[in-house]
Amino acid sequence: MSGAALGIEIVVVFFLALFLLHRYGDFRKQQRMVLFGTLLAWYLCFLIVFILPLDVSTTIYKQCIIDHEEHAVSPATVLSNQTSGNSTVLPTKSIPKACHKPWSYIPNGIMPVFWRVVYWTSQCLTWLLLPFMQSYARSGGFSITSKIKTALIENAIYYGTYLLIFGSLLIYVAVHPEWRLNWYELQTIGITAANTWGLFLLVLLLGYGLVEIPRSYWDNSHHGHLLVKTYFKLAKLMTEKADSEENLEDVMEEVRKVSESIKYNHPLRKYIDTILRKCPVDYQEKMGRNMDDYEDFDDKRNTYPSEKSLAKLHKQVIYAVQRHNRTRVQWQMLLEEAFHLEDVAKNETSSSREFVHSFAPSEPPGWFSRHIYTPTVEWYWECLLKQWFYRVLAVVLSLFSVAVVWSECTFFSTKPVLSLFAVFIQLAETDYNYLYIEMACFITIFFLCTCVYSTVFRIRVFNYYYLAPHHQTDAYSLQFSGMLFCRLTPPLCLNFLGLIHMDSAISHQAKQQTAYTSIMGSMRVLSFIADGFYIYYPMLIVLLCIATYFSLGTRCLNLLGFQQFMGDNELTSDLIDEGKELLRRERRKRQRLEDGENRRREWRERYGNRDQSGARSIQQSEMKETNYSDTANANTNTNTSTGPGRQAKYTRTSSQAERDCIELLDDAEPLDFNADVPTDDPLGAEAGSRHTGGRYLSMSSSRSRIFDDV
């Protein structure tokens, strides 16, 4: 099993990162470079979180071996003191238990190399490559060279700030008399600066997540509160949806003007074609119909846009189309959620204890829904068990949050040990229960990562950064999230090691260091950060939790004009009422569509066979008419005296019988009446001329267009 656990977790974490990227990104439309950079950043961060418990258990095993070696030397020292006549016995440590190698033991030399590769790769991504790839992906250039040039110009200030900070630190180290300017100390200073920036942001996000995550589960256990909040979201999203549609219309109008001014033989026409390919299909068809390519361009008469202005327009088109598609998909998903919550509210009072949906599912039920998640099971889960499960989960998460806040404020105290997580790990360390150690470490760090990463997924910086599920996240937001993950994960792991007293720079204990802390270098190079900022700054998490509990941030945003959900606000009540009306309107619209589809299906089931028999009778009548006409023509050739009258009379009788048959068939299908539908069947037109008010859709020659006006 040596190293097997490491390999298994590497594979599992890769598929986890790939699943999340598939949920938020779009593999078919987004650039491969964007997807690869984001996947690599997420994968490395998740890898650090999952592998760190293995590093802790391996370090505890090595500490056990060191304790055994020290205990083997102690008896010899005591014996020499007794033979020399000295009765004083030196205090010795208690005899440690036998050291059993953990099942996930990682051989020596693997973890330091692994952490060094993972850490420095993630740092290169977050500080160098991802900012450049952000600008490259968002650029409106039409060639690789122009995109690279734009990205370099946009990141000049970004990289210049880094060089300024690094140069200042370099001068500070060179001038300091006690420090020697070597590569190890420079590396430690760089790591410390990056971790300090990450810890500053980490405490802000962690303080929000420790309160908001348990509270969100507690609120979700109340269906009425959740439904009212969904109404509020619907009203806000409708405003954003209308704004995105208006913005798209404005951008498409500008594209249309540019497309009409630049003709087919203009040198810039290839750029216009590139922009048109990014537009929605319906807009492409409109512009294609209105474009006149028979006129040549004239440089003297018209003024044409430059390549730079076309690149700017190209960028606006990409942003407008992405925003419009995102709001449209979010609107549909939010409608489904609102319909479901209303169904839950209706089914709570049901006596049949079977969950009934307002609308039929878009996809046929699968094996799981037919045999396991039946309507009865669904009723018990949605109406009875789910709310209690969320309440219990909210209480458990609240206890975890209290433990984290207490440990963040007391983890620097080693005698006595006040950090709860350090107490749990040390109790398991006395028995060398490696499985318990790894599970405790994994649950703790997973909870911390959930609080931090969920905040990253929830926050929204206007329309520039927003992680939207259902493949609706743009390239800029994906790469920005990768940057945040790479900057937050290393200080998060160091903070976790400090909570369990496995970081000697904070606990000041002479213990075996983990391989992860060994690559971070000694924080004693910057003692004011190790002894001051890293210890006392996390205590601010108490103030942030209090501010989040009383929703101070929400109230401030509401005062600034950003509508937030607040139960005691008049504007919130107005938006809730608006959301109810929007949902009621969408429900009526969807109900009409479903009723039309049901009538169409019922028509096909009831009159499908009759249509087939009617078609066969019409075909037989036509064949008979052809035979009778041929017979009459033959009789005309043989008897010219009586032929014309008899032929006309016989043929007219056959045509009238056929018309009567068709009229009987058509009159058997009177469903939808429409006075404006034309027909191409002359027989149908003659029969329908008797109806002065119009004609029935069932008498149309095309039966596939029935109910199109419903």
Side-chain angles (χ1 to χ4, degrees):
M1 293 296 294
S2 179
L6 178 63
I8 293 174
E9 291 197 0
I10 288 175
V11 176
V12 171
V13 170
F14 174 78
F15 284 104
L16 175 61
L18 190 64
F19 168 76
L20 288 177
L21 183 61
H22 176 264
R23 174 176 172 80
Y24 288 91
D26 193 341
F27 289 168
R28 295 178 299 176
K29 297 181 180 180
Q30 289 175 336
Q31 300 178 7
R32 297 293 180 266
M33 181 184 65
V34 173
L35 296 174
F36 176 76
T38 306
L39 177 63
L40 183 60
W42 289 6
Y43 174 61
L44 294 177
C45 295
F46 296 159
L47 203 59
I48 295 175
V49 173
F50 278 79
I51 303 299
L52 191 61
L54 304 183
D55 192 7
V56 172
S57 62
T58 302
T59 303
I60 292 176
Y61 171 72
K62 293 179 181 179
Q63 183 65 39
C64 177
I65 295 177
I66 295 175
D67 293 341
H68 269 279
E69 293 176 353
E70 291 179 355
H71 180 74
V73 178
S74 297
T77 305
V78 174
L79 181 62
S80 63
N81 291 333
Q82 291 178 351
T83 55
S84 62
N86 188 2
S87 60
T88 304
V89 180
L90 297 177
T92 59
K93 298 180 180 179
S94 60
I95 300 175
K97 296 182 179 180
C99 299
H100 300 285
K101 183 180 294 186
W103 70 278
S104 58
Y105 176 75
I106 301 175
N108 294 329
I110 294 180
M111 289 307 299
V113 176
F114 175 80
W115 287 129
R116 192 171 288 110
V117 171
V118 170
Y119 177 78
W120 288 111
T121 304
S122 64
Q123 294 305 300
C124 289
L125 280 173
T126 186
W127 297 105
L128 297 176
L129 296 180
L130 287 180
F132 176 82
M133 293 167 62
Q134 267 187 312
S135 302
Y136 180 89
R138 202 169 185 176
S139 173
F142 299 98
S143 63
I144 298 178
T145 305
S146 61
K147 290 184 177 181
I148 293 176
K149 182 180 178 180
T150 303
L152 290 176
I153 293 175
E154 290 183 358
N155 287 273
I157 300 177
Y158 188 77
Y159 294 122
T161 305
Y162 290 161
L163 293 176
L164 180 62
I165 296 175
F166 181 76
S168 301
L169 292 175
L170 192 64
I171 295 173
Y172 176 75
V173 172
V175 173
H176 202 281
E178 298 180 358
W179 292 350
R180 295 180 181 179
L181 191 62
N182 55 39
W183 171 250
Y184 177 77
E185 292 183 352
L186 287 177
Q187 176 181 336
T188 303
I189 291 174
I191 294 174
T192 304
N195 290 336
T196 302
W197 189 96
L199 184 63
F200 178 81
L201 184 60
L202 174 68
V203 172
L204 298 177
L205 299 178
L206 188 61
Y208 175 82
L210 288 174
V211 176
E212 190 60 30
I213 290 180
R215 182 164 60 185
S216 64
Y217 280 104
W218 182 263
D219 292 339
N220 291 342
S221 65
H222 300 84
H223 291 154
H225 174 83
L226 190 59
L227 182 58
V228 169
K229 193 172 183 179
T230 306
Y231 289 149
F232 177 83
K233 291 181 180 179
L234 277 172
K236 284 190 63 178
L237 187 59
M238 185 61 187
T239 304
E240 183 181 354
K241 182 172 175 288
D243 185 44
S244 65
E245 292 175 353
E246 183 179 354
N247 182 34
L248 181 63
E249 290 285 347
D250 295 340
V251 174
M252 291 298 105
E253 179 65 21
E254 188 174 353
V255 171
R256 184 191 62 80
K257 293 179 181 179
V258 175
S259 177
E260 291 178 354
S261 63
I262 299 179
K263 302 304 178 181
Y264 71 100
N265 53 354
H266 195 280
L268 297 177
R269 184 63 201 183
K270 56 182 180 180
Y271 301 144
I272 299 297
D273 295 336
T274 303
I275 295 175
L276 290 177
R277 283 194 294 269
K278 303 294 178 63
C279 299
V281 179
D282 51 348
Y283 286 99
Q284 293 183 25
E285 295 176 353
K286 293 179 182 178
M287 295 177 190
R289 288 194 299 265
N290 297 331
M291 188 175 61
D292 186 8
D293 283 345
Y294 295 99
E295 297 182 5
D296 295 337
F297 73 94
D298 188 359
D299 293 334
K300 297 180 180 179
R301 289 187 304 173
N302 300 326
T303 57
Y304 298 99
S306 61
E307 183 178 351
K308 185 177 180 180
S309 62
L310 290 179
K312 183 179 179 180
L313 180 61
H314 187 202
K315 183 177 179 180
Q316 293 176 354
V317 168
I318 296 174
Y319 172 74
V321 172
Q322 172 67 31
R323 184 186 175 193
H324 177 262
N325 293 335
R326 184 185 67 204
T327 53
R328 179 174 52 82
V329 173
Q330 286 179 328
W331 174 256
Q332 296 298 328
M333 295 299 106
L334 195 58
L335 284 178
E336 295 293 337
E337 181 181 354
F339 288 145
H340 177 72
L341 291 175
E342 287 190 344
D343 291 343
V344 171
K346 294 178 181 178
N347 283 272
E348 284 180 344
T349 58
S350 175
S351 59
S352 61
R353 296 184 182 273
E354 289 188 358
F355 198 89
V356 179
H357 294 271
S358 298
F359 303 104
S362 57
E363 298 179 357
W367 179 87
F368 182 78
S369 299
R370 291 195 306 267
H371 298 87
I372 298 178
Y373 197 62
T374 60
T376 302
V377 176
E378 186 177 3
W379 186 90
Y380 277 100
W381 169 249
E382 293 290 346
C383 302
L384 189 63
L385 299 178
K386 187 177 181 180
Q387 53 185 348
W388 287 106
F389 173 75
Y390 277 174
R391 289 172 185 173
V392 173
L393 183 60
V395 172
V396 173
L397 293 177
S398 299
L399 295 177
F400 263 99
S401 298
V402 172
V404 170
V405 173
W406 171 261
S407 300
E408 290 285 357
C409 297
T410 59
F411 72 93
F412 58 88
S413 176
T414 56
K415 293 181 180 180
V417 179
L418 299 178
S419 175
L420 298 179
F421 300 107
V423 172
F424 297 152
I425 297 300
Q426 290 179 7
L427 289 176
E429 188 177 353
T430 56
D431 297 331
Y432 297 103
N433 190 347
Y434 297 109
L435 182 61
Y436 173 82
I437 292 173
E438 292 175 1
M439 291 302 299
C441 291
F442 176 76
I443 293 174
T444 304
I445 195 172
F446 182 78
F447 177 72
L448 294 175
C449 291
T450 302
C451 295
V452 175
Y453 292 165
S454 64
T455 308
V456 173
F457 280 96
R458 287 185 181 188
I459 61 176
R460 176 176 181 178
V461 184
F462 300 104
N463 288 316
Y464 294 98
Y465 171 74
Y466 182 40
L467 289 176
H470 307 289
H471 322 290
Q472 298 303 315
T473 306
D474 58 353
Y476 184 88
S477 299
L478 284 175
Q479 294 179 99
F480 189 76
S481 66
M483 292 170 55
L484 287 179
F485 283 1
C486 291
R487 296 180 189 183
L488 291 171
T489 305
L492 175 65
C493 294
L494 282 179
N495 181 257
F496 164 74
L497 294 176
L499 293 179
I500 63 174
H501 292 177
M502 296 290 290
D503 187 1
S504 61
I506 298 176
S507 63
H508 305 286
Q509 293 179 341
K511 296 177 64 175
Q512 180 72 20
Q513 293 294 304
T514 61
Y516 184 79
T517 54
S518 65
I519 69 166
M520 294 295 174
S522 176
M523 297 302 172
R524 296 302 169 193
V525 177
L526 299 175
S527 59
F528 66 93
I529 294 181
D531 297 334
F533 185 79
Y534 280 2
I535 292 178
Y536 297 105
Y537 179 71
M539 295 182 183
L540 292 177
I541 200 171
V542 179
L543 299 178
L544 293 172
C545 289
I546 294 175
T548 306
Y549 180 79
F550 291 102
S551 303
L552 296 182
T554 301
R555 298 179 187 276
C556 292
L557 289 175
N558 197 46
L559 290 176
L560 294 175
F562 300 98
Q563 292 87 3
Q564 302 295 317
F565 182 76
M566 299 177 63
D568 55 349
N569 187 272
E570 183 179 357
L571 181 60
T572 302
S573 301
D574 294 340
L575 290 176
I576 290 173
D577 295 337
E578 182 181 350
K580 287 182 180 179
E581 183 60 31
L582 289 172
L583 187 63
R584 192 179 299 112
R585 188 186 308 167
E586 290 293 333
R587 181 180 288 275
R588 289 197 301 266
K589 178 181 177 182
R590 186 170 296 190
Q591 190 67 47
R592 287 196 301 268
L593 293 176
E594 188 170 290
D595 291 343
E597 183 64 28
N598 291 336
R599 288 198 302 268
R600 200 176 289 117
R601 188 185 305 111
E602 184 178 342
W603 167 263
R604 287 195 298 265
E605 293 175 355
R606 181 178 301 178
Y607 299 106
N609 296 331
R610 188 175 299 182
D611 291 343
Q612 295 177 1
S613 61
R616 286 195 298 267
S617 63
I618 292 174
Q619 184 177 5
Q620 293 174 0
S621 300
E622 292 177 352
M623 294 177 62
K624 290 179 181 180
E625 179 183 0
T626 305
N627 294 334
Y628 292 154
S629 300
D630 294 339
T631 305
N633 291 332
N635 293 332
T636 303
N637 294 331
T638 56
N639 192 356
T640 57
S641 60
T642 60
R646 295 180 61 186
Q647 179 185 2
K649 180 179 179 180
Y650 193 71
T651 305
R652 188 164 51 249
T653 304
S654 174
S655 177
Q656 184 64 33
E658 178 187 355
R659 291 172 183 175
D660 293 340
C661 180
I662 296 175
E663 288 174 4
L664 288 174
L665 290 173
D666 288 338
D667 290 339
E669 306 167 351
L671 282 183
D672 286 342
F673 187 81
N674 190 354
D676 299 328
V677 178
T679 179
D680 297 330
D681 189 359
L683 293 177
E686 183 179 353
S689 62
R690 297 193 301 265
H691 304 281
T692 58
R695 64 182 309 276
Y696 288 101
L697 282 175
S698 57
M699 299 173 64
S700 173
S701 60
S702 175
R703 301 185 183 275
S704 62
R705 297 186 59 83
I706 301 176
F707 302 107
D708 281 356
D709 61 329
V710 177

